[in-house]
Amino acid sequence: MSTRKPKPAADTSEQILDLAENLIQTMGYSAFSYQDISSALGITKPSIHYHFPSKAELGTAVIERYAGRFGEALAAIEQDQSKSSVAMLERYFEPFLQFSKTPNKVCLCGALAGEMMALPPPMHDRADRFFKDHHAWLTAILKRGADRGEFRMSAPVAKTARMIFSALQGALLVKRTTGDASEVRDVVAAIKAQLAAA
Amino acid sequence: MSTRKPKPAADTSEQILDLAENLIQTMGYSAFSYQDISSALGITKPSIHYHFPSKAELGTAVIERYAGRFGEALAAIEQDQSKSSVAMLERYFEPFLQFSKTPNKVCLCGALAGEMMALPPPMHDRADRFFKDHHAWLTAILKRGADRGEFRMSAPVAKTARMIFSALQGALLVKRTTGDASEVRDVVAAIKAQLAAA
DNA sequence: GTCTATACAAAGATAGAC
DNA sequence: GTCTATCTTTGTATAGAC
């Protein structure tokens, strides 16, 4: 019991990453500054430089952690092969529906995509990999579902996967702009209806 | 013949708008500066301030012009009621496919969506209206196609419209990041296959 | 690991001459 | 309508004390 703290008292580095992630998701990478973090955290700017020498390194660490977390979640979903493909997809949608509940959050990589050419190369590369990994994962799940007769697809699996992923990313962006929380829910509903259509 | 110049010799304001639009589409609003424009145009920063006193006003003018242009295109498509709904949708896809041919361009509003909270309110409002107008237009076309038996939909029209629009916006963002030009084509293909499925 | 102090560059913007 | 000159603020970053 004493070896497992209830709240691991996030060290400063983690807190900085948390804040930076949030700031990027709400205002974008270019628009946030060390000042924003230092104010929110109650420490000075140089203290942040101690943990992350440059903004590019901080940005890279943020996306690295985010993509890693997301990747683990995907791996966990496909681990239990006893689940139906429909159930797996259901769990895949969860984080997107979760995002849609907060008014101003989008997928970190979706936010970054809009300002891609202004990002340091390591961040660009990591976002690239994030998108490609997602596509590969979704394609595999859709193929499994099609093989097992759980999904009906009117287009090739890979193209359907691209449409679903693009729709989810786009839905988050549109939702944030219009403020209509049902955007993501509607898109998820349309995707499910499409895959279930007989 | 003399009243219609072949190349209207865009005045400075137009050239500034063109450049700003391009810069926002490639690096985002926060990341571009008056310096970028002044360098590209060969005039000084104060000259730009003469045409657009503040960056917020320039940004607003850019989105205003862009959304107006897009709105006119949509109006033109639905004008010719003799066309099939499939043909109308085909023409709607065109600008998105066009974007996908240039390596670094996304829809202006798609780029802005990622940094929405960092934008001046007028820009936010205009992007909001852009998304809502698109949804209304798409919904009308889909309804027309469904009524005429040209489209098959497994979900309500409004939800299908949301999915299609989100998918197009998301596809542009993913494409720009991964550099895979077929992303948008694949998504368009998947959408068409879905609507045509019997 | 956090602070004060500071350097340095870039940004948005204005005044006033031409 | 464009220029030079200048101002102010902010941003990223470093040096060095505690």
Side-chain angles (χ1 to χ4, degrees), chain A residues 11 15 21 27 36 74 88 94 133 146 149 163-164 176:
Chain A
D11 63 7
Q15 287 179 276
E21 181 175 317
M27 17 185 358
D36 295 326
L74 296 190
M88 287 182 178
E94 268 171 31
D133 287 350
M163 196 199 59
I164 293 176
R176 204 254 296 276

Side-chain angles (χ1 to χ4, degrees), chain A residues 162-171 173-174 183 187, chain B residues 70 74 89-100 105-107 110 131 134 137-138 160-176 183-192:
Chain A
R162 286 190 150 178
M163 196 199 59
I164 293 176
F165 181 60
S166 289
L168 292 170
Q169 289 290 339
L173 291 171
V174 173
E183 176 80 24
V187 169
Chain B
F70 224 119
L74 295 191
L89 203 62
E90 205 78 61
R91 274 194 58 196
Y92 173 72
F93 290 144
E94 268 172 32
F96 291 94
L97 290 165
Q98 210 58 38
F99 276 136
S100 86
K105 261 195 189 172
V106 297
C107 170
F131 286 145
H134 260 252
W137 187 91
L138 245 189
T160 305
R162 287 190 150 178
M163 196 198 60
I164 292 176
F165 181 59
S166 289
L168 291 170
Q169 288 291 340
L172 285 175
L173 291 171
V174 173
K175 173 230 78 178
R176 204 253 295 276
E183 176 79 25
V184 183
R185 282 200 302 275
D186 283 358
V187 168
V188 167
I191 293 169
K192 281 160 69 175

Side-chain angles (χ1 to χ4, degrees), chain B residues 107-165:
Chain B
C107 170
L108 182 78
C109 294
L112 293 174
E115 50 182 346
M116 200 52 69
M117 305 318 287
L119 299 183
M123 290 187 71
H124 188 150
D125 294 348
R126 198 60 191 81
D128 178 13
R129 193 141 52 85
F130 176 85
F131 286 145
K132 283 180 174 149
D133 288 349
H134 260 252
H135 178 246
W137 187 91
L138 245 189
T139 303
I141 296 297
L142 290 181
K143 183 171 180 339
R144 179 181 186 267
D147 288 346
R148 293 160 52 114
E150 299 175 278
F151 297 141
R152 293 259 318 183
M153 263 166 274
S154 38
V157 211
K159 296 189 183 188
T160 305
R162 287 190 150 178
M163 196 198 60
I164 292 176
F165 181 59

Side-chain angles (χ1 to χ4, degrees), chain A residues 26-27 104 113-117 124 128 131 154 159 162 166-167 170-171 173 176-178 180 182-183 186 193-194, chain B residues 26-27 104 113-117 124 128 131 154 162 166-167 170-171 173 176-178 180 182-183 186 193-194:
Chain A
T26 51
M27 17 185 358
N104 295 320
E115 49 182 346
M116 201 51 70
M117 305 318 288
H124 188 150
D128 178 13
F131 286 146
S154 37
K159 296 189 184 189
R162 286 190 150 178
S166 289
L173 291 171
R176 204 254 296 276
T177 304
T178 62
D180 188 343
S182 62
E183 176 80 24
D186 283 359
Q194 178 196 343
Chain B
T26 50
M27 18 185 358
N104 296 320
E115 50 182 346
M116 200 52 69
M117 305 318 287
H124 188 150
D128 178 13
F131 286 145
S154 38
R162 287 190 150 178
S166 289
L173 291 171
R176 204 253 295 276
T177 304
T178 62
D180 189 342
S182 62
E183 176 79 25
D186 283 358
Q194 178 197 342

